[in-house]
Amino acid sequence: MSQAQRSKTTSLLSSQFINGVYIPSGLLILGVGIVKVEWLPFAIAVSLVLGTWKIYSAAPELAPVLEKVMATNALKPDVFQEFPLKEKTVLSHNVAIYRFSLQTPTQILGLPIGQHMSVAATLNVNGESKEVVRSYTPISSDENLGYFDLLIKSYPQGNISKHMGTLKLGDTMKVRGPKGAMVYAPGLVKRFGMIAGGTGITPMLQIIRAIVRGRPRNGGNDTTEVDLIFANVNYDDILLKEDLDALAKEDPHFRVFYVLNNPPEKWDGGVGFCTPEIIKAKLPPPSPDMKLLLCGPPPMISAMKKATDSLGYEKPRPVSKLADQVFCF
């Protein structure tokens, strides 16, 4: 079979599916609607089941496409829902990736790239039972069916993060979303500069993966340039370094520069704090077609706001908006 024939056979818009699935399904629904409108829901259901079965049978390779087309969103913006812990991958003594199951194996979380969600739990705080809510960005995406992953660093003084470390498989967490002013789409800017500290890498990684996934070589149209400064205290604190290095190796338009307070011997990255000099050397200069994204501990973000202001970037607002040149998660 030639490449052209194979493409025609495996396309959802090929003639075999138009003539063998879509037209018969449409005629069935139309006919039932004319004869007895009360039966329309059953006709639609039968058409969906039989049509999906025929496509699966004729072209099994289209199964992932069909699953994504038919997938429903798990998140609800105004209602907390409980999701059970499915897996826990320990990365260090206080860092782990928590995988939570969605309601069905073919469901997607329904979180636009750049946004985050609220995670809640009822905890004992100073002797009182209170519902504590924190915002988190998954490191998974809607490309992943049936689950979502949270990268959590548990702090002794933390509430949700500390509670997360005590979860056993099958335990649930309450989640609501999506929320946030950042919604990424290809063409939003020509260049991103990113500064992350600690677990502040999660929204950056979500956007970076979406950009790399959408490159022309992967069938997309995303040509956004990305430069990331990732600051941490010690080498062992660098979260998901292997993932970031693999992305940088795969994609020449993504570059990452690490900064450590306490670097090991033969360290070729930055040393100390993320200074205005490092920002000027590693990130794109201020311009109308770029954005600077910041995420990390509050003291770090406060220092980065002052540093970027001194370099001529627009002064960030107390609450960032999508149109801002400097956006703080």
Short mmCIF file of all heavy atoms in Angstrom, two decimals, residues 105-138:
data_model
loop_
_atom_site.label_atom_id
_atom_site.label_comp_id
_atom_site.label_asym_id
_atom_site.label_seq_id
_atom_site.Cartn_x
_atom_site.Cartn_y
_atom_site.Cartn_z
N PRO A 105 -10.87 5.97 32.47
CA PRO A 105 -9.55 5.87 31.84
C PRO A 105 -9.40 6.74 30.59
O PRO A 105 -8.27 6.99 30.16
CB PRO A 105 -9.43 4.38 31.48
CG PRO A 105 -10.42 3.69 32.35
CD PRO A 105 -11.54 4.66 32.54
N THR A 106 -10.52 7.16 29.99
CA THR A 106 -10.43 7.96 28.76
C THR A 106 -10.73 9.44 29.01
O THR A 106 -10.81 10.22 28.08
CB THR A 106 -11.42 7.43 27.70
OG1 THR A 106 -12.75 7.46 28.23
CG2 THR A 106 -11.06 6.00 27.30
N GLN A 107 -10.87 9.82 30.25
CA GLN A 107 -11.16 11.21 30.58
C GLN A 107 -9.87 12.03 30.59
O GLN A 107 -8.78 11.51 30.82
CB GLN A 107 -11.84 11.29 31.95
CG GLN A 107 -12.61 12.57 32.21
CD GLN A 107 -13.43 12.44 33.49
OE1 GLN A 107 -13.01 11.84 34.46
NE2 GLN A 107 -14.61 13.03 33.48
N ILE A 108 -9.98 13.34 30.31
CA ILE A 108 -8.86 14.25 30.45
C ILE A 108 -9.13 15.19 31.61
O ILE A 108 -10.28 15.40 32.01
CB ILE A 108 -8.60 15.07 29.16
CG1 ILE A 108 -9.82 15.94 28.81
CG2 ILE A 108 -8.21 14.16 28.01
CD1 ILE A 108 -9.58 16.89 27.65
N LEU A 109 -8.06 15.77 32.17
CA LEU A 109 -8.23 16.67 33.29
C LEU A 109 -9.01 17.91 32.87
O LEU A 109 -9.87 18.40 33.60
CB LEU A 109 -6.87 17.06 33.85
CG LEU A 109 -6.86 17.95 35.10
CD1 LEU A 109 -7.58 17.26 36.26
CD2 LEU A 109 -5.43 18.30 35.50
N GLY A 110 -8.70 18.45 31.68
CA GLY A 110 -9.40 19.64 31.20
C GLY A 110 -8.77 20.92 31.73
O GLY A 110 -9.48 21.86 32.09
N LEU A 111 -7.43 20.96 31.73
CA LEU A 111 -6.70 22.13 32.24
C LEU A 111 -5.94 22.78 31.09
O LEU A 111 -4.98 22.20 30.57
CB LEU A 111 -5.72 21.71 33.33
CG LEU A 111 -5.05 22.85 34.09
CD1 LEU A 111 -6.03 23.51 35.06
CD2 LEU A 111 -3.83 22.34 34.86
N PRO A 112 -6.34 23.99 30.66
CA PRO A 112 -5.61 24.67 29.59
C PRO A 112 -4.15 24.91 29.97
O PRO A 112 -3.83 25.12 31.14
CB PRO A 112 -6.37 26.00 29.44
CG PRO A 112 -7.74 25.72 29.99
CD PRO A 112 -7.53 24.74 31.10
N ILE A 113 -3.26 24.88 28.99
CA ILE A 113 -1.84 25.09 29.23
C ILE A 113 -1.62 26.48 29.82
O ILE A 113 -2.07 27.49 29.29
CB ILE A 113 -1.03 24.95 27.92
CG1 ILE A 113 -1.19 23.55 27.34
CG2 ILE A 113 0.45 25.28 28.16
CD1 ILE A 113 -0.69 22.45 28.23
N GLY A 114 -0.92 26.52 30.96
CA GLY A 114 -0.64 27.78 31.64
C GLY A 114 -1.50 28.02 32.86
O GLY A 114 -1.18 28.86 33.70
N GLN A 115 -2.59 27.25 32.98
CA GLN A 115 -3.48 27.45 34.12
C GLN A 115 -3.16 26.44 35.23
O GLN A 115 -2.37 25.51 35.05
CB GLN A 115 -4.94 27.33 33.69
CG GLN A 115 -5.36 28.45 32.72
CD GLN A 115 -6.84 28.75 32.81
OE1 GLN A 115 -7.67 27.90 32.55
NE2 GLN A 115 -7.17 29.99 33.18
N HIS A 116 -3.77 26.66 36.39
CA HIS A 116 -3.53 25.78 37.53
C HIS A 116 -4.87 25.42 38.17
O HIS A 116 -5.92 25.78 37.66
CB HIS A 116 -2.60 26.46 38.55
CG HIS A 116 -3.04 27.83 38.96
ND1 HIS A 116 -2.74 28.96 38.23
CD2 HIS A 116 -3.76 28.27 40.02
CE1 HIS A 116 -3.24 30.02 38.82
NE2 HIS A 116 -3.88 29.63 39.91
N MET A 117 -4.81 24.71 39.28
CA MET A 117 -6.05 24.27 39.93
C MET A 117 -5.88 24.34 41.44
O MET A 117 -4.77 24.41 41.97
CB MET A 117 -6.40 22.85 39.49
CG MET A 117 -5.33 21.83 39.79
SD MET A 117 -5.64 20.29 38.89
CE MET A 117 -4.52 19.19 39.75
N SER A 118 -7.02 24.35 42.13
CA SER A 118 -7.02 24.40 43.59
C SER A 118 -7.09 22.98 44.15
O SER A 118 -7.89 22.16 43.69
CB SER A 118 -8.23 25.20 44.10
OG SER A 118 -8.15 26.55 43.67
N VAL A 119 -6.24 22.73 45.14
CA VAL A 119 -6.23 21.44 45.83
C VAL A 119 -6.57 21.70 47.30
O VAL A 119 -5.99 22.60 47.93
CB VAL A 119 -4.86 20.75 45.72
CG1 VAL A 119 -4.84 19.46 46.51
CG2 VAL A 119 -4.52 20.49 44.26
N ALA A 120 -7.54 20.97 47.84
CA ALA A 120 -8.04 21.25 49.19
C ALA A 120 -8.04 20.00 50.06
O ALA A 120 -8.15 18.87 49.58
CB ALA A 120 -9.45 21.84 49.12
N ALA A 121 -7.92 20.23 51.36
CA ALA A 121 -8.03 19.16 52.35
C ALA A 121 -8.45 19.76 53.68
O ALA A 121 -8.12 20.91 53.99
CB ALA A 121 -6.70 18.43 52.50
N THR A 122 -9.21 19.01 54.45
CA THR A 122 -9.60 19.44 55.79
C THR A 122 -8.53 18.98 56.77
O THR A 122 -8.30 17.78 56.95
CB THR A 122 -10.97 18.86 56.18
OG1 THR A 122 -11.94 19.27 55.21
CG2 THR A 122 -11.40 19.36 57.56
N LEU A 123 -7.84 19.96 57.40
CA LEU A 123 -6.67 19.66 58.23
C LEU A 123 -6.82 20.28 59.62
O LEU A 123 -7.60 21.22 59.82
CB LEU A 123 -5.40 20.21 57.57
CG LEU A 123 -5.14 19.77 56.13
CD1 LEU A 123 -3.92 20.51 55.58
CD2 LEU A 123 -4.93 18.27 56.06
N ASN A 124 -6.05 19.76 60.54
CA ASN A 124 -5.99 20.32 61.89
C ASN A 124 -4.95 21.44 61.88
O ASN A 124 -3.75 21.19 61.75
CB ASN A 124 -5.61 19.24 62.90
CG ASN A 124 -5.71 19.74 64.34
OD1 ASN A 124 -5.15 20.78 64.68
ND2 ASN A 124 -6.39 18.98 65.17
N VAL A 125 -5.40 22.67 62.01
CA VAL A 125 -4.52 23.83 62.00
C VAL A 125 -4.62 24.54 63.35
O VAL A 125 -5.68 25.10 63.69
CB VAL A 125 -4.88 24.81 60.85
CG1 VAL A 125 -3.93 26.00 60.85
CG2 VAL A 125 -4.84 24.09 59.51
N ASN A 126 -3.55 24.48 64.11
CA ASN A 126 -3.52 25.10 65.45
C ASN A 126 -4.68 24.62 66.33
O ASN A 126 -5.32 25.41 67.02
CB ASN A 126 -3.55 26.63 65.33
CG ASN A 126 -2.34 27.17 64.60
OD1 ASN A 126 -1.23 26.64 64.73
ND2 ASN A 126 -2.54 28.22 63.81
N GLY A 127 -4.95 23.31 66.24
CA GLY A 127 -5.99 22.73 67.07
C GLY A 127 -7.39 22.86 66.54
O GLY A 127 -8.34 22.39 67.16
N GLU A 128 -7.55 23.50 65.37
CA GLU A 128 -8.88 23.65 64.77
C GLU A 128 -8.95 22.95 63.43
O GLU A 128 -7.97 22.93 62.67
CB GLU A 128 -9.21 25.14 64.59
CG GLU A 128 -9.34 25.92 65.89
CD GLU A 128 -9.76 27.36 65.63
OE1 GLU A 128 -10.34 27.62 64.55
OE2 GLU A 128 -9.50 28.22 66.48
N SER A 129 -10.11 22.39 63.12
CA SER A 129 -10.32 21.74 61.83
C SER A 129 -10.69 22.78 60.79
O SER A 129 -11.70 23.48 60.92
CB SER A 129 -11.44 20.70 61.95
OG SER A 129 -11.63 20.04 60.71
N LYS A 130 -9.84 22.91 59.75
CA LYS A 130 -10.06 23.92 58.72
C LYS A 130 -9.83 23.31 57.34
O LYS A 130 -9.00 22.41 57.18
CB LYS A 130 -9.11 25.11 58.91
CG LYS A 130 -9.37 25.94 60.14
CD LYS A 130 -8.43 27.14 60.18
CE LYS A 130 -8.69 28.03 61.40
NZ LYS A 130 -7.78 29.20 61.44
N GLU A 131 -10.56 23.86 56.36
CA GLU A 131 -10.30 23.47 54.97
C GLU A 131 -9.19 24.37 54.43
O GLU A 131 -9.34 25.59 54.38
CB GLU A 131 -11.55 23.59 54.09
CG GLU A 131 -11.29 23.11 52.66
CD GLU A 131 -12.53 23.07 51.80
OE1 GLU A 131 -13.04 24.15 51.46
OE2 GLU A 131 -12.99 21.96 51.46
N VAL A 132 -8.09 23.75 54.05
CA VAL A 132 -6.94 24.49 53.52
C VAL A 132 -6.88 24.29 52.01
O VAL A 132 -7.03 23.17 51.52
CB VAL A 132 -5.62 24.00 54.17
CG1 VAL A 132 -4.44 24.76 53.62
CG2 VAL A 132 -5.71 24.14 55.69
N VAL A 133 -6.67 25.38 51.28
CA VAL A 133 -6.65 25.33 49.82
C VAL A 133 -5.33 25.90 49.31
O VAL A 133 -4.89 26.96 49.77
CB VAL A 133 -7.83 26.13 49.21
CG1 VAL A 133 -7.80 26.03 47.68
CG2 VAL A 133 -9.16 25.63 49.76
N ARG A 134 -4.70 25.20 48.39
CA ARG A 134 -3.48 25.66 47.75
C ARG A 134 -3.58 25.45 46.24
O ARG A 134 -4.33 24.59 45.78
CB ARG A 134 -2.25 24.92 48.28
CG ARG A 134 -1.94 25.17 49.75
CD ARG A 134 -1.42 26.58 49.98
NE ARG A 134 -1.06 26.79 51.38
CZ ARG A 134 -1.88 27.26 52.32
NH1 ARG A 134 -3.15 27.53 51.99
NH2 ARG A 134 -1.47 27.44 53.56
N SER A 135 -2.82 26.24 45.49
CA SER A 135 -2.83 26.13 44.02
C SER A 135 -1.64 25.31 43.54
O SER A 135 -0.52 25.49 44.02
CB SER A 135 -2.78 27.52 43.39
OG SER A 135 -3.96 28.25 43.68
N TYR A 136 -1.91 24.41 42.59
CA TYR A 136 -0.85 23.58 42.01
C TYR A 136 -1.03 23.48 40.50
O TYR A 136 -2.15 23.52 39.98
CB TYR A 136 -0.87 22.17 42.60
CG TYR A 136 -0.38 22.10 44.02
CD1 TYR A 136 -1.27 22.09 45.09
CD2 TYR A 136 0.99 22.05 44.31
CE1 TYR A 136 -0.82 22.03 46.41
CE2 TYR A 136 1.44 21.98 45.62
CZ TYR A 136 0.54 21.98 46.66
OH TYR A 136 0.98 21.93 47.96
N THR A 137 0.09 23.33 39.79
CA THR A 137 0.09 23.09 38.36
C THR A 137 0.56 21.66 38.10
O THR A 137 1.67 21.31 38.52
CB THR A 137 1.02 24.05 37.61
OG1 THR A 137 0.63 25.40 37.88
CG2 THR A 137 0.96 23.81 36.10
N PRO A 138 -0.24 20.82 37.46
CA PRO A 138 0.22 19.45 37.16
C PRO A 138 1.41 19.47 36.20
O PRO A 138 1.57 20.41 35.41
CB PRO A 138 -1.00 18.81 36.49
CG PRO A 138 -2.17 19.68 36.85
CD PRO A 138 -1.61 21.06 36.98
#
